[in-house]
Amino acid sequence: MKIFNFIVFLSISFFGTPKTITGKENWTTSDIERFNKQLEEVKEKIKTNPYYNTKIAFFIDMKIKSGKNRFFVYDLENDKILDEGLVAHGCGSETGIAGNLKFSNEANSNATSLGSCAIGKSYKGIFGKAYRLSGLDETNSNVLKRAVVLHSYSAVPEQEQDYYISRSHGCPMVNEAFFKRLEKIIDGSKSSILLNIYY
């Protein structure tokens, strides 16, 4: 799905005035409020560490079905979405009810963990290049120990679809073409980019 150029007015903001973002036309008021809450939490974390990127952050909205774009590259300075793509969730997050997910920070859960992560150094793994993640919240403090990383996988489609995509063992797993775009951003950043996963 192409990124649309239109304005969504956020109803809640840190400064008490509406913010405008360029983003998705079908966001509900609830979607906007949830995103805005995560956005302000990320901005607060960035203020605490001079080594975090102040211009770009990544967000994953796990309320969105896996067949739809739910990984967003966000411009923190201009309040707009720069890119978006599909991302898998962990197979351990399935509840047996379509669209309902559960989350875990436990080892061997194969589940997605919620919270913010700092994207670390890359390495070569079984899926090729991958980026280590360091959890910054109680809900994802074990992601580094669990080897939950950002990586690509050929089975993840590039385009949106009406059915669910393949699942991971807890990693945010994206399409190869989307990963290449993320890779340019991550490798081009002198500071650590934050990845926020929320529901």
Side-chain angles (χ1 to χ4, degrees), residues 40-59:
E40 296 309 330
E41 287 181 9
V42 165
K43 287 184 175 180
E44 285 301 307
K45 281 186 170 67
I46 288 171
K47 288 179 183 178
T48 68
N49 192 321
Y51 298 105
Y52 293 154
N53 190 308
T54 60
K55 297 180 180 180
I56 297 289
F58 298 161
F59 292 88

Side-chain angles (χ1 to χ4, degrees), residues 52 57-60 62 71 87-90 104-105 111-123 129-137 139-152 168-174 179 182 186 191-198:
Y52 293 154
F58 298 161
F59 292 88
I60 298 175
M62 285 293 171
F71 189 126
V87 59
H89 57 257
S104 177
N105 192 30
T112 296
S113 294
L114 298 180
S116 290
C117 299
I119 300 176
K121 293 182 178 180
S122 65
Y123 71 99
K129 188 173 184 177
Y131 292 93
R132 291 186 172 88
L133 302 174
S134 297
L136 304 177
D137 298 307
T139 53
N140 67 359
S141 58
N142 292 324
V143 293
L144 190 61
K145 292 179 186 176
R146 293 175 57 204
V148 171
V149 299
L150 174 61
H151 68 87
S152 66
S168 70
H169 288 160
C171 296
M173 185 173 74
V174 300
F179 185 83
L182 297 177
I186 298 167
S191 48
S192 183
I193 294 173
L194 295 193
L195 165 64
N196 178 272
I197 303 173
Y198 66 102

Side-chain angles (χ1 to χ4, degrees), residues 90-103:
C91 58
S93 286
E94 292 292 329
T95 62
I97 301 172
N100 287 356
L101 299 177
K102 61 183 180 180
F103 305 93

